[in-house]
Amino acid sequence: MSDLHSYEPRLGHGLAHDPLNLIVAPRPIGWISSLAADGTRNLAPYSFFNLFNYRPPIIGFSSLRWKDSVANIAETREFVWNLASRSLAEAVNATSAEVPDRIDEFELAGLEAAASSLVAPPRVAASPVAFECRVSAIHRLTDAAGDELDAWLVLGEAVMVHIRRDLVASGTYDTVAGDPILRGGGRPTTSPSARTRGSGWRAPARRATGARPRHPAVLR
């Protein structure tokens, strides 16, 4: 008997739970603030998030389905990433709730907004780190056969970075002191060694009511 559990994803994984999220873990949370064309504020967490380049700094997140965040960013070409720290876990959780379109998640979660310096979408005032971003690309994902998926990768250049001063010591950012929430698979999991305790954070939910924003076939 082989000591490997091997499978073709297209045929199913053969386990009680899909292992991919557990294998590629832990992951930082993309807590993304954006503005609709009419000025409505939006704030939502994404677990498919990461850093992709140093200079210029490029960050990105992937949205499963064309959600308000992607629709807003496609229109305005700007967004802000806010560090989801442990002290803000309940607020992060609140912003993943199912709510009607055009609901202001800042108000829903009781969060104070702070004006950004170079982009229109606001920052989460209580977040210890924020990246103000301008879109560099939005890609609709495809499978290996070239068939389009209802999944969208948003990449943005961080044009302004805000870091709370107490998180910088001797010229170095203290990752542990930032106390980030990290996303594993299934139930939220965190590393005790990194002082990132379980948050109860849930994956972003689909909007409950209202028309789904229309999306173009391709965005470049």
Side-chain angles (χ1 to χ4, degrees), residues 112-144:
E112 179 185 352
S116 295
S117 300
L118 299 180
V119 302
R123 299 178 286 114
V124 174
S127 179
V129 181
F131 296 166
E132 299 181 19
C133 300
R134 294 192 178 120
V135 169
S136 58
I138 300 178
H139 298 289
R140 185 171 190 176
L141 301 185
T142 66
D143 61 19

Side-chain angles (χ1 to χ4, degrees), residues 14 28 53 60 82 84 93 112 144 146 155 186 195 202:
N53 195 56
N82 306 273
N93 204 36
E112 179 185 352
L155 298 172
R195 289 177 49 228
R202 298 185 300 271

Side-chain angles (χ1 to χ4, degrees), residues 7 34-35 40 42 56 66 106 108 117 127 137 166 179-180 184 188 194 203:
Y7 66 94
S34 62
L35 284 178
T40 301
N42 183 269
W66 184 264
F106 279 86
L108 180 70
S117 300
S127 179
D166 64 290
D179 212 10

Side-chain angles (χ1 to χ4, degrees), residues 143-204:
D143 61 19
D147 294 327
E148 292 181 334
L149 306 175
D150 195 7
W152 306 84
L153 175 63
V154 178
L155 298 172
E157 177 182 347
V159 295
M160 178 66 75
V161 176
H162 304 276
I163 305 172
R164 204 173 66 202
R165 289 189 183 278
D166 64 290
L167 297 182
V168 179
S170 301
T172 301
Y173 173 76
D174 189 338
T175 304
V176 173
D179 212 10
I181 300 171
L182 304 178
R183 176 66 167 164
R187 293 179 60 82
T189 57
T190 53
S191 169
S193 64
R195 289 177 49 228
T196 51
R197 299 166 293 281
S199 67
W201 182 82
R202 298 185 300 271

Side-chain angles (χ1 to χ4, degrees), residues 2-217:
S2 172
D3 60 354
L4 295 174
H5 175 79
S6 303
Y7 66 94
E8 294 182 61
R10 67 185 181 87
L11 300 178
H13 47 72
L15 301 174
H17 301 285
D18 193 325
L20 288 180
N21 281 352
L22 286 165
I23 295 169
V24 186
R27 303 185 304 280
I29 302 302
W31 201 16
I32 307 298
S33 53
S34 62
L35 284 178
D38 65 2
T40 301
R41 301 180 300 188
N42 183 269
L43 181 62
Y46 290 86
S47 65
F48 291 141
F49 169 84
N50 223 306
L51 171 71
F52 294 96
N53 195 56
Y54 275 124
R55 294 180 177 81
I58 303 292
I59 65 168
F61 70 96
S62 181
S63 174
L64 305 183
R65 299 185 305 274
W66 184 264
K67 297 178 181 176
D68 288 344
S69 296
V70 185
N72 291 348
I73 294 167
E75 285 186 294
T76 67
R77 314 299 291 181
E78 297 178 336
F79 65 94
V80 177
W81 170 75
N82 306 273
L83 177 64
S85 59
R86 180 64 186 87
S87 63
L88 295 169
E90 292 307 315
V92 175
N93 204 36
T95 61
S96 72
E98 292 189 21
V99 296
D101 292 336
R102 302 313 183 196
I103 291 294
D104 185 328
E105 280 88 357
F106 279 86
E107 293 184 359
L108 180 70
L111 290 165
E112 179 185 352
S116 295
S117 300
L118 299 180
V119 302
R123 299 178 286 114
V124 174
S127 179
V129 181
F131 296 166
E132 299 181 19
C133 300
R134 294 192 178 120
V135 169
S136 58
I138 300 178
H139 298 289
R140 185 171 190 176
L141 301 185
T142 66
D143 61 19
D147 294 327
E148 292 181 334
L149 306 175
D150 195 7
W152 306 84
L153 175 63
V154 178
L155 298 172
E157 177 182 347
V159 295
M160 178 66 75
V161 176
H162 304 276
I163 305 172
R164 204 173 66 202
R165 289 189 183 278
D166 64 290
L167 297 182
V168 179
S170 301
T172 301
Y173 173 76
D174 189 338
T175 304
V176 173
D179 212 10
I181 300 171
L182 304 178
R183 176 66 167 164
R187 293 179 60 82
T189 57
T190 53
S191 169
S193 64
R195 289 177 49 228
T196 51
R197 299 166 293 281
S199 67
W201 182 82
R202 298 185 300 271
R206 182 175 177 177
R207 299 301 186 205
T209 60
R212 178 186 291 184
R214 295 177 59 84
H215 61 71

